Amino acid sequence: MEYLVSSLKSFLHPLAEISAGILELIGIIIIIIGSIRAIVGLVKLIIHKKPFHVAIDLGKALSLALEFKMGAEIIKTVIIHNLEELAILGVVIVIRALMAFIIHWEIRLEEKAEAKEENEIKEKE
């Protein structure tokens, strides 16, 4: 039985590290792409006066990236060796969850504000 547990650990640890690394990389790529899209949208907004919801678009990208990064943190719980690592991981997960909550909240506020502006414009017409 001990051999089975040992061989399972030797299989799961590298798999968990690789999976967590891939999820972290996906999160970083999403942040980069979302930031580039937001910058391009902001330039279009400034130069061409084309409507673009920069805050909402960037917020959604950051939120999605945080979901991938939290997934990586959850996978990392498999390779925890002591309570100190678990405490650090727990704090990181709480901080990322709090950030995700704040981003979702800001997106909702921005969407409500934009919907209100659109309604006011329609009423003026």
Side-chain angles (χ1 to χ4, degrees):
M1 183 67 159
E2 195 172 304
Y3 173 74
L4 180 64
V5 171
S6 174
S7 59
L8 188 59
K9 279 185 180 180
S10 65
F11 173 73
L12 282 179
H13 282 244
L15 182 64
E17 288 177 4
I18 291 169
S19 300
I22 290 170
L23 288 175
E24 290 273 351
L25 180 63
I26 291 170
I28 291 168
I29 291 169
I30 291 170
I31 290 172
I32 292 169
I33 291 171
S35 298
I36 291 170
R37 284 185 56 179
I39 291 168
V40 169
L42 189 60
V43 169
K44 285 181 182 178
L45 179 68
I46 293 169
I47 294 174
H48 302 294
K49 306 290 186 212
K50 287 186 177 181
F52 183 74
H53 311 292
V54 178
I56 293 173
D57 198 53
L58 182 59
K60 287 181 179 179
L62 293 175
S63 177
L64 180 61
L66 273 172
E67 297 295 332
F68 276 98
K69 292 179 125 339
M70 283 197 307
E73 298 301 331
I74 291 169
I75 289 175
K76 288 179 185 177
T77 61
V78 173
I79 53 178
I80 297 281
H81 298 293
N82 57 41
L83 288 176
E84 183 179 322
E85 289 178 7
L86 182 63
I88 292 169
L89 189 62
V91 169
V92 169
I93 288 173
V94 167
I95 290 171
R96 288 188 176 171
L98 183 61
M99 287 171 42
F101 173 77
I102 291 169
I103 289 171
H104 283 285
W105 178 63
E106 287 180 354
I107 289 171
R108 272 188 260 125
L109 287 177
E110 191 70 29
E111 287 174 337
K112 285 179 184 178
E114 288 184 7
K116 185 178 178 182
E117 286 177 17
E118 289 174 8
N119 286 338
E120 289 174 358
I121 291 171
K122 288 179 183 178
E123 287 176 4
K124 288 181 183 179
E125 294 174 351

